[in-house]
Amino acid sequence: MTSEPRGAARGTSPRDLEEEVDELVHLYGLEDDDELGDEFVHENMPRIEVSEYPAYMVAGREPAVEQRDWRLSGEAAEAEDLGFGGWGSEGQCQDLREAYRYTHGRASEEYECYVIPEEEDEEEAPDVFCVTCKTPIRALEKVLDEHQGHEVTPLSKALESAKDEIHRNMYRLEKQIIEMENFASHLEEVFITVEENFGRQEQNFESHYNEILETLAQKYEEKIQALGEKKKEKLEALYGQLVSCGENLDTCKELMETVEEICHEEKVDFIKDAVAMADRLRKFLETKTDVEISAQPALEDQTLDFSDVEQLLGSINTIPAPSAPVINPQAPNSATGSSVRVCWSLYSDDTVESYQLSYRPVRDGSPGKDQAESTVTVKETYCSVANLAPNTQYEFRVTAQNRAGLSPASERAVYMTAPSPPVIKSKEVRSCEEAALICWESGNLNPVDSYTVELTQVETPGAAGVTESVVGIPTCESLVQLQPRQSYTIYVRALNVGGPSARSEPATVHTTGSYFRLNEQTCHPWLAISEDGLTAVRSERKTPTREPPPSSARFTRCVAVLGNLIPVRGRHYWEVEVDERSDYTVGVAFEDVPKQEDLGANCLSWCMRHTWASPRHKYEFLHNKMTPDIRITVSPKKIGILLDYENSKLSFFNVDIAQHLYTFSCQLHQFVHPCFSLEKPGCLKIHNGISVPKHVTFH
């Protein structure tokens, strides 16, 4: 029975062989197995891990002798009853494995045995965030699990909130790091100053100590020498007296002996010798004999004069006056609008107890000599001087002081305070869906180096947005790129060598459409512009008989005004509320359109004109005095205007009924501005900051 299937397998075509093997695979329940034969082991047999396989199995080599009991499942036993029982032995199972590998394009000479890990059920990913438990969960858990009744929020919103919180904490951390770095720098300066001062004191003590020792040694030598000379002098005097006294004593003894001899002589001889002896004795006794000691044995008072030593000892704490300090150049970002940080250094062998910093403002490039000089006293080699004028240069000089006196003054150095915050011209801020033009006043009498614009996107009320900065702006305006349909808070800073100013007052910019105001500098004198810059009114009372003189900037003949549209290409849309019974003109024109001509009467303007002569309404679409023949049956009360730079088109619409009126094909080689004109008394009201309506978008 075992040879029949094998012979059949070898004698049939490859296609039949493949079908036959697939049928066997189906019988054995192996359709889902990637490796046929790896799961022939019975369910009750122990599972073999990869690490338990012999080396030859991993290397792909079959053993020389290997006995393995391949057990058949229930389906295999059933197959045996159907005539495939020969496949149940070890050899047939191996043949089945090889046949399956062969038919599926895989050789059976070498293979690796491994255990396919059991597939684990993938858990459904969390889709909401439990605010109460502060953990991501599945929406189903909120209803069935312990999160029932808890506050939840979408996972994406929780992620954005977590990011915002991290950004805020990072900003606070950065501020704390800067404060700690400044404090550490301050401690380091104090540490160095203390170390230098004590080092100089140690050097002074050592120098004075050596000087005192030298002075004492010199005095010792001088006193020893003086005592020796005094001793010699006294001993010599005493010795002379001793010799003289001995000589006198010998003379007295000799006279005594001679007198005694004379006393024993005869009277005649005695008389002769006695007279001579008496004369001799008289002369000897008349000679004064010094019987007082010329040098007393008691020592004289040998008090030593240590006044110079005492002076040296007193001078140990006496140090020389310090040398002149040197003021450092101004460091970047070392000033605010009302203060400046001044730093200086001194020579290493100077001992200083305090410093006196003097300053006064600099006027027109030279020190203000008529200005009173202010002075502050500090112990450190730096000082933050407050209550100064913004964006102003100040001249500083510093002196050092100790008990010996003041040092010479340092060379003068000029520092500058930071500027005042600029003032944003809110009425001149213009925007569209992609950008905004920010204008401001410097707020400083003296020039500044540059400006920085800070943009904060307001995502949700009360949420802190991410701030972006545009730096190095040389003038008082900047065109910044923005995201559409957003709101931004704008700040401006001024910068000079002292550092940045404080933020300006904020201005809000919206990018939901094009925002602009009427330009009063182009306005005809007969027109009145509202406070918000969005309404133009011509009244009966303000219409004089004489026209104003010609002007290149202001309309003089045509009673018109231009709008300040942002100079950005793309699409701009606005609407104009009109009076059906007034004569008006609306459209666009170049900035240099002739101010003595009517709008639409030249090649620099494209306009829609309405003239009312009861009961007839006349509409013209004018460019270079030409208009198409168009009849408008429904008079618009609100006109929508779409300026499309990309397609070089200008379109007009009746907003109330979403009707397209007319479209110009324009050659817009420069930027144009909205233009408005009232030929008779009336009113035009502008609505902007509007998203482009659908009927305009699909036109």
Side-chain angles (χ1 to χ4, degrees), residues 14 68 93 141 147 175 200 212 224 234 247 277 299-300 364 406 411 436 440 464 491 532 549 590 653 679 682 692:
R68 187 175 299 273
C93 288
E141 295 181 12
H147 302 282
K175 289 182 63 178
R200 287 191 291 270
I212 289 173
I224 291 297
K234 283 193 173 187
E247 290 177 351
M277 180 56 66
L299 295 177
E300 297 176 357
D364 301 327
L406 279 173
E411 293 291 332
W440 60 87
Y491 303 91
D532 61 4
F590 288 112
F653 300 87
E679 283 72 28
V692 180

mmCIF file of all heavy atoms in Angstrom, residues 14 68 93 141 147 175 200 212 224 234 247 277 299-300 364 406 411 436 440 464 491 532 549 590 653 679 682 692:
data_model
loop_
_atom_site.group_PDB
_atom_site.id
_atom_site.type_symbol
_atom_site.label_atom_id
_atom_site.label_comp_id
_atom_site.label_asym_id
_atom_site.label_seq_id
_atom_site.Cartn_x
_atom_site.Cartn_y
_atom_site.Cartn_z
ATOM 1 N N PRO A 14 3.306 16.930 -13.204
ATOM 2 C CA PRO A 14 3.444 17.837 -12.060
ATOM 3 C C PRO A 14 2.123 18.454 -11.659
ATOM 4 O O PRO A 14 1.865 18.683 -10.489
ATOM 5 C CB PRO A 14 4.435 18.897 -12.546
ATOM 6 C CG PRO A 14 5.225 18.198 -13.601
ATOM 7 C CD PRO A 14 4.286 17.238 -14.265
ATOM 8 N N ARG A 68 11.731 8.737 14.795
ATOM 9 C CA ARG A 68 10.726 9.696 15.251
ATOM 10 C C ARG A 68 9.360 9.094 14.994
ATOM 11 O O ARG A 68 9.093 8.586 13.916
ATOM 12 C CB ARG A 68 10.875 11.026 14.501
ATOM 13 C CG ARG A 68 9.960 12.116 15.060
ATOM 14 C CD ARG A 68 10.240 13.416 14.350
ATOM 15 N NE ARG A 68 11.619 13.841 14.564
ATOM 16 C CZ ARG A 68 11.994 14.565 15.592
ATOM 17 N NH1 ARG A 68 11.120 14.917 16.483
ATOM 18 N NH2 ARG A 68 13.250 14.919 15.717
ATOM 19 N N CYS A 93 5.438 9.970 5.536
ATOM 20 C CA CYS A 93 5.244 11.370 5.958
ATOM 21 C C CYS A 93 6.356 12.266 5.423
ATOM 22 O O CYS A 93 6.131 13.394 5.002
ATOM 23 C CB CYS A 93 5.199 11.450 7.484
ATOM 24 S SG CYS A 93 3.679 10.760 8.173
ATOM 25 N N GLU A 141 -14.995 50.652 27.332
ATOM 26 C CA GLU A 141 -14.716 50.528 28.759
ATOM 27 C C GLU A 141 -15.437 51.603 29.569
ATOM 28 O O GLU A 141 -15.741 51.406 30.733
ATOM 29 C CB GLU A 141 -13.215 50.629 29.007
ATOM 30 C CG GLU A 141 -12.427 49.474 28.404
ATOM 31 C CD GLU A 141 -10.942 49.607 28.693
ATOM 32 O OE1 GLU A 141 -10.592 50.456 29.530
ATOM 33 O OE2 GLU A 141 -10.156 48.854 28.096
ATOM 34 N N HIS A 147 -14.610 52.701 34.489
ATOM 35 C CA HIS A 147 -14.567 54.104 34.085
ATOM 36 C C HIS A 147 -15.953 54.676 33.833
ATOM 37 O O HIS A 147 -16.072 55.797 33.327
ATOM 38 C CB HIS A 147 -13.709 54.259 32.822
ATOM 39 C CG HIS A 147 -12.303 53.762 32.985
ATOM 40 N ND1 HIS A 147 -11.337 54.485 33.635
ATOM 41 C CD2 HIS A 147 -11.727 52.587 32.606
ATOM 42 C CE1 HIS A 147 -10.211 53.798 33.646
ATOM 43 N NE2 HIS A 147 -10.417 52.645 33.030
ATOM 44 N N LYS A 175 12.992 79.163 31.836
ATOM 45 C CA LYS A 175 13.143 80.387 32.623
ATOM 46 C C LYS A 175 13.871 80.111 33.924
ATOM 47 O O LYS A 175 14.753 80.872 34.339
ATOM 48 C CB LYS A 175 11.767 80.989 32.911
ATOM 49 C CG LYS A 175 11.079 81.603 31.715
ATOM 50 C CD LYS A 175 9.749 82.210 32.089
ATOM 51 C CE LYS A 175 9.903 83.340 33.072
ATOM 52 N NZ LYS A 175 8.607 83.971 33.413
ATOM 53 N N ARG A 200 45.382 88.129 48.207
ATOM 54 C CA ARG A 200 46.217 89.322 48.353
ATOM 55 C C ARG A 200 46.536 89.593 49.823
ATOM 56 O O ARG A 200 47.641 90.017 50.158
ATOM 57 C CB ARG A 200 45.501 90.515 47.714
ATOM 58 C CG ARG A 200 45.479 90.481 46.195
ATOM 59 C CD ARG A 200 45.002 91.805 45.634
ATOM 60 N NE ARG A 200 43.590 92.027 45.917
ATOM 61 C CZ ARG A 200 42.606 91.643 45.127
ATOM 62 N NH1 ARG A 200 42.894 90.997 44.008
ATOM 63 N NH2 ARG A 200 41.349 91.895 45.423
ATOM 64 N N ILE A 212 59.447 92.202 59.119
ATOM 65 C CA ILE A 212 59.616 92.329 60.574
ATOM 66 C C ILE A 212 60.771 91.467 61.061
ATOM 67 O O ILE A 212 61.592 91.886 61.894
ATOM 68 C CB ILE A 212 58.303 91.958 61.276
ATOM 69 C CG1 ILE A 212 57.253 93.042 61.023
ATOM 70 C CG2 ILE A 212 58.516 91.776 62.777
ATOM 71 C CD1 ILE A 212 55.882 92.692 61.531
ATOM 72 N N ILE A 224 73.906 93.859 70.144
ATOM 73 C CA ILE A 224 75.019 93.011 70.588
ATOM 74 C C ILE A 224 76.341 93.742 70.388
ATOM 75 O O ILE A 224 77.240 93.741 71.261
ATOM 76 C CB ILE A 224 74.994 91.671 69.842
ATOM 77 C CG1 ILE A 224 73.790 90.823 70.290
ATOM 78 C CG2 ILE A 224 76.287 90.906 70.045
ATOM 79 C CD1 ILE A 224 73.821 90.431 71.756
ATOM 80 N N LYS A 234 84.239 99.822 79.811
ATOM 81 C CA LYS A 234 84.193 99.797 81.277
ATOM 82 C C LYS A 234 85.334 98.962 81.861
ATOM 83 O O LYS A 234 85.974 99.342 82.854
ATOM 84 C CB LYS A 234 82.852 99.245 81.734
ATOM 85 C CG LYS A 234 81.725 100.247 81.626
ATOM 86 C CD LYS A 234 80.498 99.768 82.389
ATOM 87 C CE LYS A 234 79.444 100.862 82.414
ATOM 88 N NZ LYS A 234 78.318 100.514 83.281
ATOM 89 N N GLU A 247 99.983 100.795 92.115
ATOM 90 C CA GLU A 247 101.214 101.592 92.136
ATOM 91 C C GLU A 247 101.238 102.484 93.375
ATOM 92 O O GLU A 247 102.271 102.606 94.058
ATOM 93 C CB GLU A 247 101.291 102.436 90.853
ATOM 94 C CG GLU A 247 101.533 101.612 89.606
ATOM 95 C CD GLU A 247 101.524 102.474 88.350
ATOM 96 O OE1 GLU A 247 101.161 103.685 88.459
ATOM 97 O OE2 GLU A 247 101.856 101.962 87.247
ATOM 98 N N MET A 277 112.590 113.122 104.605
ATOM 99 C CA MET A 277 111.432 112.220 104.517
ATOM 100 C C MET A 277 110.135 113.002 104.680
ATOM 101 O O MET A 277 109.123 112.717 104.029
ATOM 102 C CB MET A 277 111.552 111.134 105.595
ATOM 103 C CG MET A 277 110.398 110.149 105.584
ATOM 104 S SD MET A 277 110.172 109.331 103.959
ATOM 105 C CE MET A 277 111.711 108.402 103.892
ATOM 106 N N LEU A 299 74.502 97.526 85.532
ATOM 107 C CA LEU A 299 74.264 97.733 84.096
ATOM 108 C C LEU A 299 73.367 98.934 83.876
ATOM 109 O O LEU A 299 72.433 99.191 84.637
ATOM 110 C CB LEU A 299 73.608 96.507 83.473
ATOM 111 C CG LEU A 299 74.462 95.228 83.456
ATOM 112 C CD1 LEU A 299 73.675 94.075 82.882
ATOM 113 C CD2 LEU A 299 75.735 95.457 82.633
ATOM 114 N N GLU A 300 73.647 99.638 82.835
ATOM 115 C CA GLU A 300 72.794 100.759 82.468
ATOM 116 C C GLU A 300 71.488 100.246 81.842
ATOM 117 O O GLU A 300 71.397 99.108 81.376
ATOM 118 C CB GLU A 300 73.529 101.662 81.470
ATOM 119 C CG GLU A 300 74.783 102.283 82.036
ATOM 120 C CD GLU A 300 75.522 103.095 80.988
ATOM 121 O OE1 GLU A 300 75.027 103.092 79.821
ATOM 122 O OE2 GLU A 300 76.546 103.711 81.308
ATOM 123 N N ASP A 364 23.609 113.645 22.119
ATOM 124 C CA ASP A 364 24.152 113.988 20.795
ATOM 125 C C ASP A 364 25.586 113.514 20.628
ATOM 126 O O ASP A 364 26.453 114.224 20.106
ATOM 127 C CB ASP A 364 24.075 115.494 20.551
ATOM 128 C CG ASP A 364 22.650 116.009 20.617
ATOM 129 O OD1 ASP A 364 21.744 115.239 20.229
ATOM 130 O OD2 ASP A 364 22.446 117.149 21.063
ATOM 131 N N LEU A 406 41.119 106.168 47.607
ATOM 132 C CA LEU A 406 40.468 105.907 46.329
ATOM 133 C C LEU A 406 41.496 105.653 45.243
ATOM 134 O O LEU A 406 42.608 106.199 45.267
ATOM 135 C CB LEU A 406 39.599 107.092 45.915
ATOM 136 C CG LEU A 406 38.204 107.216 46.527
ATOM 137 C CD1 LEU A 406 37.574 108.542 46.127
ATOM 138 C CD2 LEU A 406 37.323 106.059 46.089
ATOM 139 N N GLU A 411 38.771 104.388 32.695
ATOM 140 C CA GLU A 411 38.393 105.025 31.438
ATOM 141 C C GLU A 411 36.869 105.013 31.323
ATOM 142 O O GLU A 411 36.200 104.091 31.783
ATOM 143 C CB GLU A 411 39.012 104.283 30.256
ATOM 144 C CG GLU A 411 40.523 104.371 30.188
ATOM 145 C CD GLU A 411 41.007 105.766 29.848
ATOM 146 O OE1 GLU A 411 40.247 106.502 29.173
ATOM 147 O OE2 GLU A 411 42.129 106.134 30.263
ATOM 148 N N ALA A 436 -0.199 88.295 6.897
ATOM 149 C CA ALA A 436 -0.631 89.538 7.544
ATOM 150 C C ALA A 436 0.489 90.558 7.414
ATOM 151 O O ALA A 436 1.674 90.219 7.486
ATOM 152 C CB ALA A 436 -0.973 89.310 9.015
ATOM 153 N N TRP A 440 3.865 99.245 12.750
ATOM 154 C CA TRP A 440 3.999 99.766 14.107
ATOM 155 C C TRP A 440 4.845 101.035 14.109
ATOM 156 O O TRP A 440 5.523 101.354 13.121
ATOM 157 C CB TRP A 440 4.631 98.723 15.026
ATOM 158 C CG TRP A 440 6.005 98.276 14.603
ATOM 159 C CD1 TRP A 440 7.197 98.849 14.921
ATOM 160 C CD2 TRP A 440 6.318 97.162 13.751
ATOM 161 N NE1 TRP A 440 8.225 98.172 14.337
ATOM 162 C CE2 TRP A 440 7.727 97.120 13.623
ATOM 163 C CE3 TRP A 440 5.556 96.193 13.102
ATOM 164 C CZ2 TRP A 440 8.369 96.152 12.860
ATOM 165 C CZ3 TRP A 440 6.194 95.228 12.347
ATOM 166 C CH2 TRP A 440 7.592 95.208 12.232
ATOM 167 N N ALA A 464 -2.724 78.156 26.047
ATOM 168 C CA ALA A 464 -1.460 78.814 25.692
ATOM 169 C C ALA A 464 -0.941 78.227 24.390
ATOM 170 O O ALA A 464 -0.681 77.028 24.300
ATOM 171 C CB ALA A 464 -0.429 78.629 26.803
ATOM 172 N N TYR A 491 2.754 90.388 18.822
ATOM 173 C CA TYR A 491 3.545 91.296 19.648
ATOM 174 C C TYR A 491 4.767 91.738 18.839
ATOM 175 O O TYR A 491 5.221 91.013 17.942
ATOM 176 C CB TYR A 491 4.042 90.625 20.937
ATOM 177 C CG TYR A 491 2.950 90.052 21.817
ATOM 178 C CD1 TYR A 491 2.547 88.733 21.661
ATOM 179 C CD2 TYR A 491 2.348 90.820 22.796
ATOM 180 C CE1 TYR A 491 1.547 88.197 22.471
ATOM 181 C CE2 TYR A 491 1.362 90.295 23.613
ATOM 182 C CZ TYR A 491 0.960 88.981 23.443
ATOM 183 O OH TYR A 491 -0.012 88.460 24.245
ATOM 184 N N ASP A 532 -14.063 103.079 12.303
ATOM 185 C CA ASP A 532 -13.515 101.744 12.040
ATOM 186 C C ASP A 532 -12.913 101.612 10.663
ATOM 187 O O ASP A 532 -12.362 100.568 10.312
ATOM 188 C CB ASP A 532 -14.588 100.674 12.259
ATOM 189 C CG ASP A 532 -15.787 100.851 11.322
ATOM 190 O OD1 ASP A 532 -15.744 101.753 10.451
ATOM 191 O OD2 ASP A 532 -16.767 100.092 11.465
ATOM 192 N N PRO A 549 -7.751 121.257 -5.028
ATOM 193 C CA PRO A 549 -6.627 121.329 -5.978
ATOM 194 C C PRO A 549 -6.114 119.935 -6.322
ATOM 195 O O PRO A 549 -6.292 118.985 -5.566
ATOM 196 C CB PRO A 549 -5.571 122.140 -5.220
ATOM 197 C CG PRO A 549 -5.920 121.957 -3.778
ATOM 198 C CD PRO A 549 -7.412 121.841 -3.728
ATOM 199 N N PHE A 590 -5.011 100.452 -9.481
ATOM 200 C CA PHE A 590 -3.617 100.541 -9.066
ATOM 201 C C PHE A 590 -3.435 101.752 -8.159
ATOM 202 O O PHE A 590 -4.220 102.708 -8.197
ATOM 203 C CB PHE A 590 -2.698 100.649 -10.281
ATOM 204 C CG PHE A 590 -2.574 99.373 -11.063
ATOM 205 C CD1 PHE A 590 -3.102 99.275 -12.345
ATOM 206 C CD2 PHE A 590 -1.945 98.262 -10.513
ATOM 207 C CE1 PHE A 590 -2.991 98.103 -13.066
ATOM 208 C CE2 PHE A 590 -1.835 97.088 -11.239
ATOM 209 C CZ PHE A 590 -2.363 96.999 -12.514
ATOM 210 N N PHE A 653 -20.550 89.885 -7.818
ATOM 211 C CA PHE A 653 -21.661 88.995 -7.513
ATOM 212 C C PHE A 653 -22.740 89.769 -6.764
ATOM 213 O O PHE A 653 -22.453 90.700 -6.006
ATOM 214 C CB PHE A 653 -21.198 87.817 -6.631
ATOM 215 C CG PHE A 653 -20.133 86.974 -7.266
ATOM 216 C CD1 PHE A 653 -18.790 87.318 -7.120
ATOM 217 C CD2 PHE A 653 -20.455 85.847 -8.009
ATOM 218 C CE1 PHE A 653 -17.799 86.548 -7.696
ATOM 219 C CE2 PHE A 653 -19.464 85.078 -8.585
ATOM 220 C CZ PHE A 653 -18.134 85.428 -8.430
ATOM 221 N N GLU A 679 -20.840 109.229 -6.512
ATOM 222 C CA GLU A 679 -21.046 110.387 -7.380
ATOM 223 C C GLU A 679 -22.092 111.332 -6.818
ATOM 224 O O GLU A 679 -22.153 112.507 -7.183
ATOM 225 C CB GLU A 679 -21.463 109.937 -8.781
ATOM 226 C CG GLU A 679 -20.313 109.410 -9.641
ATOM 227 C CD GLU A 679 -19.829 108.044 -9.156
ATOM 228 O OE1 GLU A 679 -20.631 107.295 -8.576
ATOM 229 O OE2 GLU A 679 -18.633 107.737 -9.359
ATOM 230 N N GLY A 682 -24.557 109.659 -0.437
ATOM 231 C CA GLY A 682 -24.926 108.279 -0.124
ATOM 232 C C GLY A 682 -23.911 107.666 0.835
ATOM 233 O O GLY A 682 -23.091 108.363 1.439
ATOM 234 N N VAL A 692 -14.491 82.982 1.373
ATOM 235 C CA VAL A 692 -15.073 83.011 0.033
ATOM 236 C C VAL A 692 -16.293 82.096 0.004
ATOM 237 O O VAL A 692 -16.193 80.906 0.320
ATOM 238 C CB VAL A 692 -14.040 82.564 -1.016
ATOM 239 C CG1 VAL A 692 -14.649 82.593 -2.410
ATOM 240 C CG2 VAL A 692 -12.812 83.462 -0.952
#
